[in-house]
Amino acid sequence: MKGKIIFFSIVMLALTSKGFAQAKPNMPKSIVSTSASLRTYYDDKTLRAMSKGELVELYIERMKVIVKTLPHIALATKPGVTMTDLGIPDDADNRKALDLETEATQTYIEITVNFLRKMLPYADKNQLVTMVLFYEQTLKSLHEVEQQ
């Protein structure tokens, strides 16, 4: 009898915790992905001291942030800004449009990253350094615009 009660209690606890762990469908969603930010910016000297493999990874990371940010700059440049924050009605049509756009962006990023991982090792190291700096300067410029 005690075994049944313990078993039933564990099952109920698991079901209850799973219910609380579910994503809330009506929670506002971010226009710009919360993963669209950089923690570190590099200078030319530091980048030139890195290996080509490290530069490839930096290039890909910065490309992802730009792809997740640039299409939305008329709406927001900061990650985490929601439709509600911007006064956009958070209705089913707008959520569906945002979900479709997010899904399409993710698909694009996956395909592009696969391509870049195969091709960038053939790129000139100096060109990789230049483009990482270009991406970083672009992202810095976006942050300057948002502060105006």
Side-chain angles (χ1 to χ4, degrees):
M1 181 70 170
K2 285 185 181 181
K4 288 182 181 179
I5 292 174
I6 292 172
F7 176 74
F8 181 71
S9 297
I10 291 172
V11 169
M12 289 304 292
L13 181 63
L15 290 174
T16 304
S17 64
K18 183 173 173 87
F20 286 119
Q22 297 294 319
K24 307 286 189 264
N26 293 329
M27 293 292 292
K29 296 181 181 178
S30 296
I31 300 285
V32 176
S33 172
T34 54
S35 66
S37 63
L38 296 180
R39 293 180 298 277
T40 307
Y41 291 92
Y42 295 92
D43 62 10
D44 186 62
K45 183 178 178 182
T46 305
L47 290 172
R48 291 195 187 284
M50 291 182 175
S51 71
K52 193 182 255 190
E54 291 171 312
L55 291 170
V56 166
E57 292 307 313
L58 286 175
Y59 182 95
I60 289 171
E61 178 187 20
R62 277 129 183 84
M63 180 277 307
K64 287 179 183 179
V65 172
I66 286 180
V67 167
K68 291 177 183 178
T69 305
L70 279 182
H72 310 107
I73 61 174
L75 296 170
T77 56
K78 292 181 183 178
V81 175
T82 65
M83 290 188 293
T84 304
D85 296 336
L86 299 171
I88 299 170
D90 191 16
D91 58 24
D93 288 339
N94 290 340
R95 279 194 304 273
K96 183 177 179 180
L98 182 57
D99 289 343
L100 284 171
E101 194 279 336
T102 302
E103 184 180 322
T105 299
Q106 190 57 39
T107 301
Y108 171 77
I109 287 173
E110 288 171 11
I111 292 168
T112 302
V113 166
N114 288 336
F115 172 78
L116 291 174
R117 287 198 195 284
K118 290 176 183 169
M119 299 300 160
L120 285 181
Y122 297 103
D124 180 63
K125 183 177 177 180
N126 291 330
Q127 187 69 9
L128 283 172
V129 168
T130 301
M131 291 303 103
V132 168
L133 290 170
F134 172 77
Y135 279 171
E136 288 185 359
Q137 187 60 43
T138 301
L139 292 166
K140 286 177 187 176
S141 296
L142 279 175
H143 294 301
E144 289 173 9
V145 167
E146 78 187 21
Q147 292 174 351
Q148 292 179 0

